[in-house]
Amino acid sequence: GQQVMQIPQYQHVQEGEDFTTYCNSSTTLSNIQWYKQRPGGHPVFLIQLVKSGEVKKQKRLTFQFGEAKKNSSLHITATQTTDVGTYFCAGPANTGNQFYFGTGTSLTVIP
Amino acid sequence: DSGVTQTPKHLITATGQRVTLRCSPRSGDLSVYWYQQSLDQGLQFLIQYYNGEERAKGNILERFSAQQFPDLHSELNLSSLELGDSALYFCASSVRGQAGNTIYFGEGSWLTVV
């Protein structure tokens, strides 16, 4: 079945260090979305990438969509304690219209 | 506040029982999704409804069922509950049912089965 995997599963960084999470799909994705879930909270939409090789930035966050549209990454520069949470990528199913979420990367930022 | 409302926020029930989780989507959203999140697993897609009709099915157990009503609110029914059903159940909505629409999540319903 369709799978969206993320690595790493957990990441601990010192405040100020950079962080990257990678998302890999077993199939080509028409688009990919990224969500952030704070501890005890619900997933919140961050961004959507559609084009092959697309790169988008939101302040310290940089999102990339692979050329083959089977992988994506989220890079955070100079992490802050407010970046703590779990980051999920989500890609559309091959059939139907729902999104399948990746396994998530839990980020801990040590002050 | 995402605009998606879920009730109840917390629920404790015994094994073998049945519960109903309720979701009101954002105003104007026609599509409703249900996800299950356990401690050791990510967000598992259960089912999607669009304008009252089932659109897609994921890893939903036969003991679980859902429906979307004419006013677009949705209910997720969980029966013959087992300890392993303890999880956070999210409802989400989007304007349309198409992949690519932003999905807005409610705050979730915490279900504990004892």
Side-chain angles (χ1 to χ4, degrees):
Chain A
Q2 183 172 357
Q3 288 188 329
V4 180
M5 304 298 292
Q6 280 184 256
I7 54 170
Q9 187 174 2
Y10 301 96
Q11 184 77 59
H12 291 68
V13 299
Q14 291 283 342
E15 188 172 17
E17 292 182 339
D18 292 356
F19 159 77
T20 304
T21 173
Y22 300 90
C23 178
N24 295 292
S25 171
S26 56
T27 59
T28 300
L29 302 170
S30 58
N31 60 79
I32 195 162
Q33 294 184 355
W34 284 91
Y35 290 77
K36 176 184 178 181
Q37 183 178 18
R38 293 181 185 275
H42 59 275
V44 175
F45 173 80
L46 293 177
I47 207 162
Q48 177 175 279
L49 305 171
V50 179
K51 300 177 183 177
S52 170
E54 187 171 11
V55 177
K56 286 188 176 180
K57 291 189 176 184
Q58 288 181 350
K59 296 183 180 178
R60 295 177 295 105
L61 278 61
T62 301
F63 303 84
Q64 291 188 318
F65 201 10
E67 294 290 341
K69 301 183 78 172
K70 295 181 72 173
N71 58 72
S72 181
S73 66
L74 159 58
H75 179 82
I76 303 179
T77 303
T79 54
Q80 300 175 359
T81 54
T82 53
D83 296 325
V84 166
T86 300
Y87 292 85
F88 292 97
C89 62
N94 293 331
T95 58
N97 297 294
Q98 76 281 9
F99 272 95
Y100 282 103
F101 280 75
T103 45
T105 296
S106 176
L107 172 64
T108 300
V109 179
I110 303 165
Chain B
D1 182 11
S2 66
V4 179
T5 304
Q6 288 187 248
T7 57
K9 285 185 172 25
H10 300 274
L11 188 57
I12 302 175
T13 191
T15 54
Q17 294 298 306
R18 171 191 170 96
V19 299
T20 298
L21 308 181
R22 193 177 189 279
C23 170
S24 293
R26 291 190 324 152
S27 176
D29 284 1
L30 299 178
S31 194
V32 169
Y33 311 76
W34 286 98
Y35 287 86
Q36 179 194 55
Q37 187 173 43
S38 303
L39 281 177
D40 57 348
Q41 294 187 15
L43 285 161
Q44 299 293 319
F45 170 72
L46 296 178
I47 199 164
Q48 177 199 3
Y49 281 83
Y50 178 75
N51 204 20
E53 294 188 1
E54 183 182 304
R55 175 63 67 91
K57 228 173 192 180
N59 301 321
I60 188 167
L61 300 172
E62 287 189 6
R63 299 183 286 107
F64 297 179
S65 65
Q67 54 184 329
Q68 185 180 28
F69 295 87
D71 66 352
L72 300 178
H73 91 270
S74 178
E75 292 181 355
L76 178 66
N77 301 296
L78 315 173
S79 61
S80 302
L81 285 168
E82 301 174 0
L83 295 178
D85 297 327
S86 296
L88 181 55
Y89 292 84
F90 283 111
C91 171
S93 71
S94 65
V95 173
R96 296 181 295 274
Q98 299 167 2
N101 291 160
T102 300
I103 302 175
Y104 296 89
F105 282 80
E107 295 185 356
S109 292
W110 277 103
L111 173 65
T112 301
V113 183
V114 298

